[in-house]
Amino acid sequence: MNGKGNIHLNGPVEVVFEKLRDPEVLQACIMGCQKMERVGENRYTADLAIGIASVKGKYKADISLEDIEAPRHFKLVLHGKGAPGFVDAEGVLDLTPHGEQTTDLAYTYQAEVGGKIAAVGQRMLGGVSKLIIKDFFKKIKKEMEKSQKSA
Amino acid sequence: MKTIGRRIRRTEDARLMTGRGTYMEDLQPLPNLHHAAILRSPYPHARIKGIHTERAEQMPGVKGVVTGRDVARWTQPFPVGVTAPVEYYSLAVEKVRFAGEPVAVVVAKNRYLAEDALDAIEVEYEPLPAVVDIEKALEPDAPVLHDQVGTNIANDRTFDYGDVDGAFSEADLVVSHKFNFPKFSATPVETYGVIAHHDPSENHFTIWSNFHGPFTLQSVMAAALQVPSNRLRIIIPKDIGGSYGIKSGVFPYMVLMAVVSKKVGLPVKWIEDRQEHLFASSSGTDRVTWIEAAVKRDGTITGLKMKIVDNVGGYIRAPEPASLYRTHSNTTGAYKVKNLRMHTVAVMTNKSPTGLIRGYGGPQHYFPLERLIPMIAKQLGMDPADVIRKNLIAKDDFPYRTASGGMYDSGDYQKGFETVLECAKYDEWKKRQKEARAEGRYLGIGLACIVEPSGSNMGYITMALTPEERAKSLPKSGCAEGATVSIDPMGGISVRISTVPSGQGHETVASQIVGEVLGVDPHSVRVIAEMDTSTSPWTVASGSYSSRFAPVGSSAVYHAAQKVRKKILEIAGKQLQVPSEALELKDGKAIGKDDPSKSVSLRRLIGSAHWNPQALPEGVEPGIHETAFFTIPTAMPPDEKDLVNGSVTYGFVADAVLVEVDPETGQIDILDYVTVHDAGKLLNPLIVDGQILGGLVHGLGGALYEELAYDANGQFLSGSFMDYLCPTATEIPPVTVKHLETPSPLTPLGAKGLGEGNTMSAPVVIANAVADALQPFDLSIDTLPLTPDRIWSLIRKAENKQPILEGEK
């Protein structure tokens, strides 16, 4: 399963880049993320609770950022596992300045799931992942607008 | 009173329809039962680097955790009838080989606590590349599942009967094609259930389960548990909520729970849930078939070559690779083809293991064979009905010996086939099709004739071995069943059967038989269908599979009843001072055939057997408790030329189907379905019709809806009834069932088995009809199920390749 998209964000590219790596922001913006901790340079762990079709469950995820070319590009690698199975996902994000105060963000992703989620959630998976990703960027966008206002 | 052959209502229904059935979940045979839940692998292929159970073991209510290490220490791998050294245990040991494979078991005070504790077990996996496709698994660089086997091939045999090269060199036409049959299942309403209890004082296991046989697997289980077979007692409740073969796959879980009970020192209960059932219980094999037919210009088929490859999943387990050989004796179907070459292969891939399923091997077999008939007809410009007529075995040919050794006991195939054409109004259908095409609608007619084997001869399973390998052990032909008829001092008649019904109505039919033989009302006869390997009369072949009740099981009941009848008549003869041959049993009395004044009541005779044994005729034992075992002499072990008669009776099914396909949506509408059956003498036509409809709907599922699907990485994709579609009442087409009754000369009542025939015929007859409907397009129907998206894609592909001109439509 894979997909791609893009979004226009308020904020200079450097700020957007930093926000996307801030565990607090990530925890607030990732649907079902109950806890997010930095455990090392560009490495995080997270507790996620997601329901896909009839499979609701909790996942422990290891997240790492790779191929970092600050502030333009990075790859996010996620390996999550829990009672309903596992999720292996990779996202590549490319940031391009759009004027001085806004940024264009383009992303591609691919994900593989296994276990119960694959067995009973496969039909829904494409739609659910699209939903989660769209929701994530929508919240990032709000986060950017919020921080701009407070700034 | 004649009761055999009458449409008697099922005695089982009173309890089943009022919710008083006794199933696994209802059983509470021991105090202090604890509950098990199973942790399963999310990976199709992975090494297990470690399992951490400490946290789960500490959780409240948890009594113990069992892992592959315990299972490897306390059991042996299950024996299986192939030479490939495959080690299959009831829990994954070191490696997992299919998504859903059991990895650990938690026992707790209740199921909730057990399931919660599963989440606390941590398994470290090292994922390995997986393979699920049959042809890919055969490639030299494919991931290998079992290192000690070296390849993914579990069984590989070739067979050559007659003069195949001669037939092909003299053929006017050779028709060949490759076919794919999907992995499909049966989804009984009741899932697997097991209660296991280990008694350490005797190292004795008692297991309650809804296992329906065959009892060859009792020895497989005892071997795995490393106990003498009389230390493994299996008890099966009187009601099983359907099986259709699938429940024979419960045996690894029976052993697993036995080990779990032994380790935790408690009786343990496990009920499978629906997701587990679809994920990992059992299924039929998916199969690839390459088939070639040598054909004469007049439509006569003179030779067949087939290569069949069955996918037995992550582990080959008993009774596989029997799916390859169940139809070996009837490979040439209803046709007189004397030259046959077969190459049979069982391959292991990262899918769930397979086993018995209604029609076992038959749907996979008849799909290519019967699809070929209209292909031959098309190439010769003949009507498919004429190709069938040309090749059908004639009435005078019976008993007919097939190329591969099958002994077809009786039949009148021409009459059966002409009956189906007549009932279907075949010529009228052809007219309707022509008119529809003119309107731009796509109607199609499908025909199929199949031979339905019943009452399997367990010896056919040893066809997996070469004659030389077979010669090293005892010749095997197990095909027997036992039954006991007893009468208590008050005259109550009980019948104990060992056929382990899973809804087929054996109690009703057994009571009909005993009632008729003993001259009493069948409703007064009590049939005990509960099975207990320690107290029931059973054989290696016992169980309800391969439609064996009608030819074998009911015959054992008949013979046991005859023994009782003979004894009662002997006692009556002495009391009435007449030869027992002059008496008959009628209306609860022994009565003179010619002199009705000579009469004594059954109750009195039975009372004498119990209360006054000293007055019995010489040589007659006290009490009335007779057991009979029945077998059929034609069930011989395979011979040194690989000829085998794999079943004892062979029925016949002819189907005709009319469909309409919507080329815009790929939707298939079955307009009419006519099926003609010959299963010998019918014991209870009411039950027969139910069985036939059930088998047909199962076949309909295989034709149009059902597939246990996997993605290319080996992830299982159809783990719920939203993903694994089964036909429901609204999908059932109009069906007309007609019967012929050509009695079997081999069974005392002339009966043959039935109920699996349409599971074998429906997938192909519907495929034939769809192919016929879509003749205007250049496409082939060679893969099932015929889902709308598959049909739609085929049509689009054909259109892009070669646009259909208006004039050609």
Side-chain angles (χ1 to χ4, degrees):
Chain A
M1 179 186 43
N2 46 43
K4 59 180 182 181
N6 53 62
I7 187 164
H8 185 72
L9 297 171
N10 284 333
V13 69
E14 290 79 10
V15 177
V16 172
F17 190 80
E18 281 316 307
K19 285 273 178 203
L20 286 170
R21 296 170 57 195
D22 178 347
E24 269 179 45
V25 174
L26 291 176
Q27 184 178 336
C29 296
I30 296 172
M31 194 189 281
C33 183
Q34 294 170 332
K35 203 171 112 189
M36 181 104 176
E37 276 177 350
R38 198 192 292 267
V39 289
E41 180 69 16
N42 295 317
R43 283 176 51 232
Y44 311 85
T45 58
D47 289 349
L48 306 171
I50 311 169
I52 298 170
S54 55
V55 192
K56 290 198 174 65
K58 290 181 178 168
Y59 302 83
K60 285 220 168 292
D62 292 319
I63 298 166
S64 60
L65 305 185
E66 297 172 8
D67 303 343
I68 302 172
E69 294 164 30
R72 295 291 182 89
H73 171 93
F74 67 93
K75 184 164 93 178
L76 183 148
V77 179
L78 178 145
H79 177 72
K81 61 179 183 178
F86 67 83
V87 183
D88 281 321
E90 256 184 38
V92 175
L93 286 83
D94 282 294
L95 285 68
T96 318
H98 189 97
E100 290 205 346
Q101 287 309 311
T102 64
T103 302
D104 280 328
L105 187 155
Y107 60 89
T108 61
Y109 64 90
Q110 53 188 39
E112 247 180 61
V113 296
K116 257 188 209 179
I117 344 166
V120 296
Q122 193 78 5
R123 282 168 299 107
M124 313 292 290
L125 218 54
V128 172
S129 43
K130 235 180 237 166
L131 181 88
I132 292 174
I133 289 163
K134 282 219 167 123
D135 179 75
F136 172 73
F137 286 115
K138 210 168 89 189
K139 284 179 179 158
I140 287 282
K141 195 175 170 122
K142 269 196 188 147
E143 189 73 23
M144 295 304 305
E145 280 160 11
K146 207 166 67 189
S147 63
Q148 285 220 321
K149 269 180 207 159
S150 60
Chain B
M1 186 171 36
K2 287 272 170 236
T3 56
I4 301 171
R6 281 182 45 205
R7 298 176 74 89
I8 289 181
R9 280 174 179 269
R10 303 187 346 149
T11 38
E12 293 89 343
D13 290 346
R15 67 172 185 271
L16 298 182
M17 302 308 283
T18 53
R20 286 178 167 78
T22 310
Y23 299 96
M24 272 310 299
E25 178 61 0
D26 301 311
L27 294 191
Q28 200 77 35
L30 295 165
N32 205 25
L33 265 186
H34 281 63
H35 297 266
I38 298 175
L39 182 71
R40 293 170 183 276
S41 168
Y43 290 97
H45 198 192
R47 221 170 284 288
I48 299 174
K49 294 199 307 196
I51 303 184
H52 306 284
T53 59
E54 303 77 14
R55 211 155 58 83
E57 280 162 2
Q58 304 300 318
M59 288 172 70
V62 171
K63 299 292 175 180
V65 179
V66 174
T67 66
R69 193 170 297 168
D70 303 305
V71 163
R73 188 169 69 227
W74 295 25
T75 64
Q76 288 290 320
F78 291 105
V80 63
V82 295
T83 52
V86 176
E87 289 192 355
Y88 174 46
Y89 289 95
S90 56
L91 270 189
V93 175
E94 290 172 9
K95 216 177 166 192
V96 291
R97 294 182 175 86
F98 64 96
E101 182 170 358
V103 171
V105 180
V106 172
V107 177
K109 270 162 70 178
N110 61 47
R111 179 70 177 253
Y112 304 100
L113 294 172
E115 293 213 2
D116 286 350
L118 292 183
D119 290 357
I121 298 176
E122 228 177 285
V123 186
E124 291 172 55
Y125 293 102
E126 177 196 333
L128 298 168
V131 60
V132 288
D133 180 81
I134 290 176
E135 290 176 72
K136 284 193 181 132
L138 291 171
E139 284 170 8
D141 58 347
V144 170
L145 275 71
H146 297 267
D147 295 336
Q148 70 278 21
V149 180
T151 74
N152 291 319
I153 293 174
N155 187 230
D156 187 326
R157 287 225 54 204
T158 51
F159 304 90
D160 211 331
Y161 306 103
D163 177 12
V164 177
D165 291 330
F168 276 80
S169 66
E170 285 164 25
D172 295 322
L173 176 73
V174 172
V175 180
S176 58
H177 204 83
K178 183 176 108 179
F179 294 93
N180 290 283
F181 196 89
K183 181 181 180 76
F184 96 121
S185 190
T187 62
V189 172
E190 185 200 25
T191 56
Y192 290 177
V194 179
I195 295 169
H197 173 53
H198 177 248
D199 175 356
S201 64
E202 284 191 289
N203 194 26
H204 180 277
F205 293 98
T206 307
I207 303 176
W208 291 258
S209 183
N210 44 19
F211 171 71
H212 65 76
F215 284 83
T216 44
L217 295 174
Q218 197 264 354
S219 57
V220 166
M221 289 183 251
L225 288 167
Q226 305 178 84
V227 288
S229 48
N230 60 1
R231 299 290 170 93
L232 168 58
R233 180 181 191 180
I234 297 172
I235 300 173
I236 299 151
K238 93 175 132 187
D239 293 313
I240 295 181
S243 165
Y244 321 102
I246 291 299
K247 286 218 173 93
S248 72
V250 71
F251 80 86
Y253 294 100
M254 293 164 73
V255 167
L256 177 59
M257 293 305 149
V259 174
V260 169
S261 170
K262 185 171 169 172
K263 185 177 174 194
V264 301
L266 291 164
V268 171
K269 182 174 193 172
W270 171 71
I271 302 287
E272 185 190 50
D273 72 26
R274 181 59 62 188
Q275 281 180 12
E276 290 181 289
H277 187 79
L278 287 165
F279 229 119
S281 61
S282 189
S283 75
T285 56
D286 42 325
R287 178 183 289 184
V288 180
T289 304
W290 289 263
I291 185 168
E292 268 182 272
V295 187
K296 289 290 195 189
R297 198 159 289 121
D298 66 355
T300 309
I301 303 166
T302 53
L304 280 173
K305 290 186 205 168
M306 293 179 83
K307 178 179 178 181
I308 61 180
V309 187
D310 264 4
N311 185 352
V312 295
Y315 301 85
I316 184 162
R317 74 176 177 200
E320 299 291 20
S323 172
L324 288 171
Y325 304 108
R326 160 107 199 283
T327 58
H328 194 84
S329 309
N330 51 292
T331 301
T332 50
Y335 309 121
K336 220 172 166 169
V337 182
K338 282 297 184 191
N339 308 304
L340 169 68
R341 184 174 293 157
M342 301 276 289
H343 183 188
T344 55
V345 180
V347 68
M348 292 179 283
T349 76
N350 300 105
K351 288 188 179 180
S352 63
T354 62
L356 301 183
I357 179 169
R358 200 178 206 159
Y360 199 33
Q364 290 95 324
H365 176 65
Y366 287 116
F367 179 53
L369 183 69
E370 292 298 301
R371 270 299 291 125
L372 212 57
I373 299 289
M375 291 181 169
I376 291 169
K378 190 180 169 189
Q379 294 212 26
L380 291 173
M382 288 173 72
D383 186 319
D386 290 328
V387 177
I388 291 172
R389 285 187 179 111
K390 196 82 211 166
N391 291 287
L392 280 179
I393 296 161
K395 192 182 173 190
D396 299 338
D397 294 332
F398 291 96
Y400 177 81
R401 187 99 209 239
T402 67
S404 44
M407 289 286 271
Y408 291 177
D409 49 330
S410 65
D412 187 347
Y413 297 175
Q414 275 98 350
K415 190 173 168 193
F417 182 58
E418 296 306 329
T419 307
V420 84
L421 294 181
E422 204 176 294
C423 293
K425 301 192 179 72
Y426 184 60
D427 293 327
E428 205 173 291
W429 279 7
K430 286 205 289 191
K431 225 173 87 193
R432 273 174 73 182
Q433 180 184 36
K434 215 171 155 188
E435 288 164 4
R437 281 226 179 123
E439 295 165 19
R441 287 166 54 221
Y442 296 84
L443 263 62
I445 302 166
L447 300 173
C449 288
I450 66 133
V451 170
E452 179 179 3
S454 53
S456 63
N457 159 12
M458 303 298 279
Y460 84 81
I461 299 171
T462 62
M463 292 294 279
L465 303 172
T466 63
E468 296 74 36
E469 287 163 344
R470 282 198 301 267
K472 288 181 199 149
S473 57
L474 186 73
K476 291 189 179 70
S477 70
C479 175
E481 188 58 271
T484 300
V485 176
S486 60
I487 310 183
D488 65 35
M490 296 294 285
I493 302 173
S494 300
V495 185
R496 179 132 203 165
I497 55 174
S498 305
T499 52
V500 200
S502 49
Q504 296 93 334
H506 295 181
E507 291 173 42
T508 306
V509 177
S511 72
Q512 284 177 259
I513 292 168
V514 174
E516 180 166 319
V517 171
L518 300 182
V520 298
D521 180 355
H523 294 107
S524 71
V525 176
R526 286 276 296 165
V527 180
I528 295 112
E530 290 99 319
M531 173 74 203
D532 182 335
T533 56
S534 292
T535 59
S536 300
W538 64 279
T539 79
V540 287
S542 286
S544 66
Y545 61 97
S546 87
S547 299
R548 53 197 315 286
F549 180 73
V552 189
S554 77
S555 303
V557 171
Y558 178 78
H559 279 290
Q562 285 292 349
K563 276 188 171 177
V564 168
R565 180 177 184 273
K566 184 165 174 280
K567 185 169 184 170
I568 294 171
L569 288 177
E570 276 178 40
I571 301 168
K574 186 177 177 197
Q575 291 193 7
L576 295 168
Q577 298 294 312
V578 294
S580 60
E581 298 76 46
L583 299 168
E584 62 182 336
L585 293 181
K586 218 164 95 178
D587 306 330
K589 283 181 285 209
I591 189 164
K593 283 180 193 163
D594 304 319
D595 179 4
S597 74
K598 295 277 187 196
S599 145
V600 55
S601 79
L602 214 49
R603 271 184 80 126
R604 192 179 171 83
L605 293 167
I606 291 152
S608 335
H610 285 281
W611 287 100
N612 191 13
Q614 283 67 26
L616 290 173
E618 213 182 307
V620 172
E621 289 174 7
I624 296 184
H625 193 99
E626 297 292 334
T627 297
F629 284 88
F630 178 80
T631 187
I632 288 181
T634 56
M636 297 287 287
D639 73 6
E640 68 286 356
K641 290 189 187 117
D642 274 327
L643 293 173
V644 63
N645 181 33
S647 298
V648 287
T649 49
Y650 295 86
F652 176 74
V653 178
D655 282 358
V657 170
L658 182 68
V659 303
E660 176 162 6
V661 183
D662 182 342
E664 295 305 316
T665 61
Q667 180 70 33
I668 295 162
D669 192 8
I670 299 174
L671 304 176
D672 206 355
Y673 195 129
V674 182
T675 182
V676 171
H677 274 250
D678 189 346
K681 175 91 181 101
L682 303 180
L683 300 175
N684 181 331
L686 186 68
I687 290 178
V688 164
D689 287 345
Q691 289 284 319
I692 286 173
L693 279 178
L696 195 150
V697 172
H698 195 174
L700 189 71
L704 299 179
Y705 309 109
E706 300 184 32
E707 179 172 16
L708 294 168
Y710 289 76
D711 71 11
N713 299 322
Q715 281 301 334
F716 178 58
L717 303 179
S718 41
S720 79
F721 281 145
M722 278 193 288
D723 312 274
Y724 185 85
L725 294 184
C726 298
T728 66
T730 55
E731 279 82 37
I732 313 302
V735 178
T736 308
V737 184
K738 289 270 175 200
H739 300 289
L740 301 181
E741 292 187 63
T742 313
S744 172
L746 302 176
T747 57
L749 299 169
K752 302 182 183 190
L754 57 84
E756 300 183 81
N758 288 100
T759 314
M760 306 182 198
S761 64
V764 63
V765 78
I766 292 168
N768 279 349
V770 171
D772 186 49
L774 298 178
Q775 274 227 25
F777 300 92
D778 181 26
L779 54 81
S780 34
I781 300 291
D782 47 26
T783 303
L784 299 176
L786 301 173
T787 53
D789 66 315
R790 175 167 280 144
I791 297 297
W792 186 88
S793 305
L794 282 171
I795 293 173
R796 293 294 90 80
K797 220 172 104 188
E799 278 181 339
N800 291 338
K801 197 168 60 186
Q802 200 180 52
I804 306 286
L805 298 173
E806 272 311 301
E808 282 178 358
K809 272 192 183 173

